[in-house]
Amino acid sequence: DAKTTQPPSMDCAEGRAANLPCNHSTISGNEYVYWYRQIHSQGPQYIIHGLKNNETNEMASLIITEDRKSSTLILPHATLRDTAVYYCIVRVAKGTYKYIFGTGTRLKVLA
Amino acid sequence: GAVVSQHPSWVICKSGTSVKIECRSLDFQATTMFWYRQFPKQSLMLMATSNEGSKATYEQGVEKDKFLINHASLTLSTLTVTSAHPEDSSFYICSATRRGPYEQYFGPGTRLTVT
């Protein structure tokens, strides 16, 4: 299973863009990158996912490098409610499609 | 869409008793459901994968006789913690997938405290 590496913590000023990096250097060609976040004592919330191309939705943008060995989640205008642990996951491409969670990045948005 | 519920949201039980946690997909049929455990300040740890009508597949190190999983329908999976002990106290989270992109939708979690 591909593993992911994320910085343990980051701070971001409210209203500024939060850029959360993730390394997945052993990713296979047909494996997707997923991003979830977990607010304290809740289940993880889906944010976005991608395979090769950059993706954008109402919550965030996902930038995947051309070699697919790393990606960046961008929250364009962080708010206090974005304070959470963000998980980058490379989904197993076959079989049960299970997720293996890494340690995530604890993002703190500062007022 | 894609809402997953869990019941109960929290439970306290005495050591030696069994506890059942339900996971339901409310507005879609789940091809697969997953059960995770999370200790304080730690990441989610996958415990098992279950498909409707099949035996669950447990991750290495997870005791299948202690954590009984039943997946009776495409919208319901249950996790029973048998003969619970204080070290089983944790946050248990389920997720469900549906056909297609197979992303997982997570429930709100169940906090189990064993006294």
Side-chain angles (χ1 to χ4, degrees), chain B residues 1-95:
Chain B
V3 178
V4 177
S5 70
Q6 281 184 243
H7 178 79
S9 55
W10 60 270
V11 58
I12 301 172
C13 71
K14 292 188 175 181
S15 187
T17 61
S18 295
V19 174
K20 181 185 286 187
I21 302 170
E22 291 187 348
C23 176
R24 292 182 186 273
S25 56
L26 298 184
D27 52 1
F28 67 100
Q29 291 187 327
T31 53
T32 304
M33 288 184 169
F34 301 85
W35 287 95
Y36 297 83
R37 181 168 54 179
Q38 186 176 35
F39 293 108
K41 297 191 184 298
Q42 293 187 22
S43 185
L44 281 77
M45 186 192 78
L46 180 64
M47 299 175 66
T49 303
S50 74
N51 294 291
E52 184 258 344
S54 303
K55 287 185 178 180
T57 302
Y58 291 81
E59 295 297 304
Q60 194 171 8
V62 177
E63 300 175 59
K64 61 181 179 181
D65 293 332
K66 180 169 185 62
F67 300 99
L68 301 179
I69 293 172
N70 183 276
H71 195 155
S73 75
L74 285 172
T75 60
L76 173 64
S77 176
T78 60
L79 167 69
T80 302
V81 183
T82 63
S83 187
H85 291 285
E87 55 265 31
D88 298 324
S89 297
S90 188
F91 193 49
Y92 291 87
I93 306 170
C94 72
S95 71

Side-chain angles (χ1 to χ4, degrees), chain A residues 34 36 38 43 91 98-99 102, chain B residues 38 43 59 101 103-104 107:
Chain A
Y34 284 79
Y36 284 77
Q38 187 180 26
R91 190 197 72 192
K98 64 184 180 182
Y99 291 168
Chain B
Q38 186 176 35
S43 185
E59 295 297 304
E103 64 255 31
Q104 294 184 25

Side-chain angles (χ1 to χ4, degrees), chain A:
Chain A
D1 297 346
K3 293 184 178 179
T4 60
T5 305
Q6 299 177 253
S9 65
M10 291 180 64
D11 290 342
C12 176
E14 188 178 21
R16 303 296 294 269
N19 297 293
L20 293 94
C22 178
N23 284 321
H24 31 78
S25 58
T26 59
I27 191 171
S28 299
N30 56 354
E31 289 181 317
Y32 285 78
V33 179
Y34 284 79
W35 282 84
Y36 284 77
R37 71 181 182 184
Q38 187 180 26
I39 296 170
H40 183 62
S41 294
Q42 297 181 25
Q45 175 190 23
Y46 167 80
I47 300 173
I48 199 166
H49 75 279
L51 181 63
K52 295 180 181 178
N53 301 320
N54 298 338
E55 303 288 343
T56 295
N57 63 20
E58 63 278 4
M59 288 183 68
S61 294
L62 174 60
I63 308 298
I64 302 175
T65 58
E66 194 168 339
D67 63 8
R68 303 188 71 239
K69 292 185 176 182
S70 66
S71 61
T72 300
L73 178 74
I74 301 173
L75 306 178
H77 306 286
T79 70
L80 297 178
R81 284 183 290 185
D82 293 321
T83 293
V85 178
Y86 287 77
Y87 294 101
C88 165
I89 301 164
V90 173
R91 190 197 72 192
V92 172
K94 50 188 175 182
T96 58
Y97 304 97
K98 64 184 180 182
Y99 291 168
I100 303 299
F101 279 79
T103 54
T105 295
R106 188 172 296 274
L107 175 69
K108 187 173 183 180
V109 180
L110 305 172

